[in-house]
Each structure stands twice: as C-alpha cells, then as structure tokens.
C-alpha cells in the first residue's frame, strides 16, 4: 500500500449545517451536496489541496455503508491539524471560526515546542488544531 490519503471523511449529524460551516463560514470551495437522490448517498466534497479532499457524510450513511453500528461523536478520537505561517494567522483563523459558529475549545497560546496553537470544534463536534510550528518542515 502506498502511504497516501486522498479523502478525509467526517461523519456529521446535520449535513446542511456542516456544509454551511465549511463553505460559508470558512470559505472552503465545494460544489455542494451531491448524491441526495440515493438513499445514504448525500455527501459534500471540499478540495483541500492537490489530491486531497474533505468529505462530509452523515454518520447514519457511514454506519450503513460499513455495516457498523452508528456511534456518537468522539472528539478525542481524531484531530485535524491546520499548520499556518504565523501566530497572527492562527488568531485570524480562530476568529473566523468563531464567527462561523464553531467553538473555541482551547484559545491560542504558546506551545512547549516553541510554536503557537489553539483548538476549535466544528458544528458537528470535530476537533481541529490551528498551529504555527516554526519547525514543521523539519519534522
């Protein structure tokens, strides 16, 4: 298996609310909800970077597709990291998140490794870290 990821799928309870948060609140580009004509098919994709998309798909659809029982939110099971180029950018993004309806769960602050970071929760309970790490490229 080649070590690469092409889609990160986040399970959501309210697809329309989640799309509005990422599209309208954070400015992520999407063609909107597609596949709604199929049972368990409604999904939205956002281009993150070359060959990497973010998908929002209802938790009930993920459960149906995988055959697993539907589960509740598990915020400490996964975090998504967004590395930026300055402490100012961390602050600007967290302010934008708050205006979009996200929840700041840990305000930005200096880190033990010489960086600066804060955490937010999107409207569906997913945890993101917005971080400036001056040593990120050397990791």
């Amino acid at each position: 298996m080649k070590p690469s990821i092409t889609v990160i799928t986040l399970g959501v309870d309210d697809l329309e609310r989640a799309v509005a948060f990422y599209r309208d609140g954070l400015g992520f580009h999407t063609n909107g909800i597609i596949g709604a004509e199929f049972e368990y098919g409604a999904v939205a994709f956002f281009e993150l970077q070359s060959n990497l998309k973010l998908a929002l798909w209802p938790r009930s659809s993920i459960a149906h597709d995988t055959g697993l029982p539907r589960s509740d939110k598990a915020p400490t099971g996964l975090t998504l990291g967004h590395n930026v180029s300055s402490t100012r950018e961390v602050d600007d993004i967290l302010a934008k998140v708050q205006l979009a309806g996200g929840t700041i769960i840990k305000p930005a602050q200096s880190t033990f490794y010489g960086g600066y970071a804060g955490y937010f929760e999107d409207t569906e309970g997913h945890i993101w870290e917005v971080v400036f790490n001056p040593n990120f490229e050397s990791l």
Side-chain angles (χ1 to χ4, degrees):
M1 180 174 168
K2 181 181 174 186
S4 68
I5 295 174
T6 54
V7 178
I8 297 169
T9 302
L10 300 179
V12 301
D13 291 322
D14 186 329
L15 183 57
E16 290 182 6
R17 178 180 66 191
V19 168
F21 176 78
Y22 285 98
R23 180 193 59 215
D24 305 334
L26 299 184
F28 288 21
H29 176 72
T30 182
N31 291 326
I33 297 171
I34 61 170
E37 67 273 22
F38 304 106
E39 185 177 15
Y40 303 107
V43 63
F45 291 95
F46 299 83
E47 186 74 32
L48 297 179
Q49 59 196 42
S50 180
N51 296 318
L52 180 61
K53 294 184 186 300
L54 173 69
L56 302 178
W57 202 21
R59 284 182 176 88
S60 58
S61 297
I62 294 172
H64 175 79
D65 199 51
T66 62
L68 295 169
R70 189 194 176 290
S71 61
D72 291 325
K73 299 173 187 174
T76 58
L78 170 78
T79 65
L80 299 168
H82 181 63
N83 285 273
V84 298
S85 59
S86 70
T87 58
R88 167 82 186 227
E89 197 172 354
V90 171
D91 291 335
D92 290 348
I93 290 170
L94 290 177
K96 189 174 189 177
V97 162
Q98 200 160 26
L99 286 173
T103 302
I104 305 304
I105 58 171
K106 183 177 182 181
Q109 55 193 270
S110 296
T111 65
F112 68 92
Y113 53 82
Y116 185 75
Y119 285 91
F120 74 87
E121 184 176 39
D122 74 8
T123 58
E124 295 296 312
H126 302 103
I127 306 300
W128 286 75
E129 179 186 27
V130 182
V131 59
F132 165 64
N133 181 340
N135 302 307
F136 183 71
E137 294 300 321
S138 66
L139 298 176

